[in-house]
Amino acid sequence: MPRLFWIKIWTEEWLDGSIREQLTGAERAIWVDLLVMAGRSQNQGVVQCNPGTPYTHDYLAHRFNVSLMEIEGALKHFQEQGRIRETATGIEIVNWAKYQSPKGKP
């Protein structure tokens, strides 16, 4: 049986928070896809193929069904906003714990 993971998204923040003003619809979709990939990563909170090996931007664009220009623009925007850090080992979600829940509680 596959391991199941989940991430936490606050409904009020998602619908009424600043993210609606700060990100385009495409960027919001890419953001959620990054959170989901970081949640199922072997190294929680880091989007990577496996420990120490990042996904290419081209792979992410294909996986998320967006253009390479869209993924690169979104990643640049997320870095400028302090949402991610792109390193040699992957894309780290800043404040990853914020997207998690205390153990055993949804």
Side-chain angles (χ1 to χ4, degrees):
M1 183 165 157
R3 294 176 21 188
L4 301 176
F5 300 101
W6 61 277
I7 59 169
K8 175 176 66 177
I9 296 179
W10 292 103
T11 57
E12 292 300 314
E13 287 294 320
W14 185 253
L15 292 173
D16 300 323
S18 59
I19 199 165
R20 290 274 158 196
E21 300 299 320
Q22 295 172 347
L23 303 179
T24 66
E27 288 174 331
R28 288 192 308 272
I30 291 168
W31 177 244
V32 169
D33 283 349
L34 286 173
L35 291 176
V36 170
M37 287 188 77
R40 83 171 191 184
S41 174
Q42 290 177 22
N43 187 8
Q44 291 268 304
V46 181
V47 177
Q48 55 189 190
C49 187
N50 52 50
T53 306
Y55 286 112
T56 65
H57 289 181
D58 190 55
Y59 172 84
L60 292 174
H62 177 75
R63 181 77 169 134
F64 297 169
N65 197 26
V66 297
S67 71
L68 181 58
M69 190 168 74
E70 285 175 302
I71 198 76
E72 290 182 340
L75 293 174
K76 182 177 186 252
H77 195 194
F78 299 158
Q79 285 182 79
E80 290 168 352
Q81 292 180 327
R83 294 179 188 279
I84 65 168
R85 276 188 297 274
E86 198 162 10
T87 69
T89 61
I91 298 169
E92 298 175 9
I93 304 296
V94 175
N95 297 321
W96 176 246
K98 174 178 155 184
Y99 300 98
Q100 300 303 293
S101 180
K103 198 164 188 96
K105 296 181 182 177

